[in-house]
């Protein structure tokens, strides 16, 4: 299911994939069991959420980000279809392209913590037309690439995620009562202060915890550190500034809280595989 993603590293020998962030890659993609051969891949990790819809069995598999996934545990009917997407495309507001992952209402089902990274949901008959129509519409928009296709594809994805959130009501309710408010507070601090000098110690102070305790909670629930999430937010904002403005690289770095432009460029390259200048110049 990581068909159009980029291998970034191995974790304990298992390949980890990141969703491409270059301007030419749409924010949502559809993959098909019949033609994309995705279920023959071995165990792997996504750095982004994914859905697998087994139409024949009317079953939806919610694939958690950053968990080891074994495709052998997914229904293998020829009509199976997957939807993968960049969570940053579901911005919490018009200015930010980076959602507060663990508090975003449409992304909450992907934090389920089920063994193997897969949450299996039965799709009631009344919901199937919604899923079939939304996936067909996304596929059509991606194939045509007409003016506004990215926005249209995201609109159909949003409808799909709303229905998914409703199907997973019990799971989401349990998660909301199991420590997620702490993560929501962490992401709120990062969202508010990512453009400033911000460290783990600063975030811990704001949420009223020691740095060590906060690190344990965040790593256990997300698989990443607070520092990773700060970098993630800054890189998303830097991509927006590079795409939407003509600001010099040094000013882009300053606006995302990094005073050293050289360090910013190295960090951007390590994250995206290219320099900020080259990324800006892509078609």
């Amino acid at each position: 299911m990581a068909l159009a993603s980029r291998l970034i590293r191995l974790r304990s020998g298992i390949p980890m994939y990141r969703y491409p962030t270059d301007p030419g890659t749409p924010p949502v993609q559809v993959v098909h069991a019949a033609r994309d051969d995705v279920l023959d891949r071995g165990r792997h990790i996504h750095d982004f959420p994914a859905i697998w819809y087994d139409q024949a069995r009317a079953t939806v598999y919610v694939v958690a980000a950053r968990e080891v996934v074994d495709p052998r545990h997914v229904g293998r009917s020829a009509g199976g279809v997957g939807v993968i997407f960049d969570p940053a495309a579901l911005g919490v507001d018009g200015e930010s392209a980076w959602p507060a992952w663990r508090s975003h209402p449409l992304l909450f089902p992907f934090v389920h913590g089920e063994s193997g990274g897969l949450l299996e949901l039965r799709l009631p008959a009344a919901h199937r037309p919604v899923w079939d129509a939304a996936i067909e519409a996304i596929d059509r928009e991606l194939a045509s690439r007409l003016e506004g296709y990215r926005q249209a594809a995201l609109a159909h994805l949003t409808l799909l995620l709303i229905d998914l959130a409703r199907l997973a009501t019990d799971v989401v309710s349990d998660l909301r009562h199991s420590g997620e408010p702490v993560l929501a507070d962490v992401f709120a601090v990062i969202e508010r202060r990512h453009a400033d000098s911000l460290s783990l110690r600063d975030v811990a102070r704001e949420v009223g915890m020691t740095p060590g305790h906060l690190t344990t909670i965040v790593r256990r629930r997300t698989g990443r550190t607070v520092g990773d999430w700060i970098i993630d937010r800054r890189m998303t904002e830097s991509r927006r500034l590079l795409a939407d403005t003509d600001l010099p690289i040094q000013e882009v770095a300053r606006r995302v809280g990094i005073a050293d432009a050289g360090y910013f460029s190295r960090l951007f390259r390590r994250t995206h595989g290219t320099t900020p200048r080259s990324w800006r110049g892509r078609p």
Side-chain angles (χ1 to χ4, degrees), residues 6 18-25 86 239 268 271-272 279 282:
R6 181 168 66 88
R18 171 169 292 163
Y19 199 95
T21 55
D22 60 278
T25 300
D86 180 3
R239 294 196 304 270
F268 191 95
T271 304
H272 299 97
W279 192 93
R282 289 183 178 184

Side-chain angles (χ1 to χ4, degrees), residues 184-211:
D185 290 344
V186 168
F187 291 121
V189 173
I190 295 174
E191 181 65 28
R192 189 176 72 252
R193 296 187 53 188
H194 69 272
D196 305 323
S197 176
L198 183 64
S199 67
L200 164 63
R201 190 172 298 278
D202 297 325
V203 177
R205 186 182 303 114
E206 287 222 19
V207 301
M209 291 185 177
T210 65

Side-chain angles (χ1 to χ4, degrees), residues 240-251:
R240 186 187 73 81
L241 292 171
L242 290 168
D244 296 345
T245 75
D246 295 322
L247 292 170
I249 302 301
Q250 184 171 359
E251 179 61 16

Side-chain angles (χ1 to χ4, degrees), residues 3 42 107-108 130 148 154 157 160 181 230 246 259 263 269 271:
L3 182 70
L107 296 178
F108 225 81
V130 174
L154 280 174
L157 172 65
L160 207 58
I230 294 172
D246 295 322
Y263 171 70
R269 181 163 196 154
T271 304

Side-chain angles (χ1 to χ4, degrees), residues 7-279:
L7 178 65
I8 53 173
R9 64 178 180 272
L10 297 179
R11 193 175 85 185
S12 300
I14 299 172
M16 176 181 285
Y17 296 90
R18 171 169 292 163
Y19 199 95
T21 55
D22 60 278
T25 300
V28 55
Q29 299 173 60
V30 177
V31 295
H32 296 267
R35 67 171 186 248
D36 295 319
D37 202 27
V38 292
L39 296 184
D40 290 334
R41 296 170 182 265
R43 296 166 71 233
H44 58 273
I45 303 167
H46 299 133
D47 202 16
F48 51 87
I51 304 167
W52 187 259
Y53 174 31
D54 186 337
Q55 295 169 308
R57 297 178 61 237
T59 302
V60 174
Y61 298 89
V62 184
V63 186
R66 303 188 70 83
E67 296 290 341
V68 177
V69 177
D70 190 341
R72 292 178 301 178
H73 298 156
V74 174
R76 303 182 68 84
S77 66
V81 61
V83 178
I84 65 175
F85 61 96
D86 180 3
L90 301 175
V92 290
D93 56 49
E95 295 300 319
S96 171
W98 181 82
W101 240 103
R102 270 58 184 175
S103 61
H104 193 293
L106 298 185
L107 296 178
F108 225 81
F110 296 92
V111 198
H112 52 72
E114 291 291 315
S115 176
L118 294 170
L119 170 65
E120 182 176 339
L121 300 171
R122 294 293 296 174
L123 195 62
H127 291 245
R128 295 174 199 173
V130 174
W131 282 71
D132 293 339
I135 291 174
E136 181 181 351
I138 295 170
D139 234 351
R140 186 170 59 249
E141 292 293 342
L142 296 179
S144 67
R145 298 216 170 191
L146 297 175
E147 182 69 26
Y149 82 94
R150 297 170 70 94
Q151 292 82 356
L154 280 174
H156 293 298
L157 172 65
T158 299
L159 293 175
L160 207 58
L161 294 178
I162 289 171
D163 198 63
L164 177 64
R166 291 170 178 171
L167 289 172
T169 298
D170 292 342
V171 174
V172 171
S173 178
D174 289 344
L175 284 167
R176 289 195 185 281
H177 293 89
S178 63
E180 294 301 333
V182 172
L183 296 176
D185 290 344
V186 168
F187 291 121
V189 173
I190 295 174
E191 181 65 28
R192 189 176 72 252
R193 296 187 53 188
H194 69 272
D196 305 323
S197 176
L198 183 64
S199 67
L200 164 63
R201 190 172 298 278
D202 297 325
V203 177
R205 186 182 303 114
E206 287 222 19
V207 301
M209 291 185 177
T210 65
H213 188 201
L214 183 61
T215 295
T216 299
I217 291 176
V218 173
R219 187 187 289 277
R220 182 179 298 156
R221 296 297 295 137
T222 73
R224 308 176 79 179
T225 67
V226 174
D228 289 336
W229 285 111
I230 294 172
I231 291 172
D232 189 88
R233 178 62 182 98
R234 286 171 168 167
M235 291 297 99
T236 298
E237 179 65 8
S238 67
R239 294 196 304 270
R240 186 187 73 81
L241 292 171
L242 290 168
D244 296 345
T245 75
D246 295 322
L247 292 170
I249 302 301
Q250 184 171 359
E251 179 61 16
V252 171
R254 189 190 68 79
R255 293 198 183 192
V256 299
I258 301 175
D260 185 336
Y263 171 70
F264 167 74
S265 293
R266 292 192 297 274
L267 184 60
F268 191 95
R269 181 163 196 154
R270 189 175 73 202
T271 304
H272 299 97
T274 188
T275 65
R277 198 174 307 279
S278 296
W279 192 93

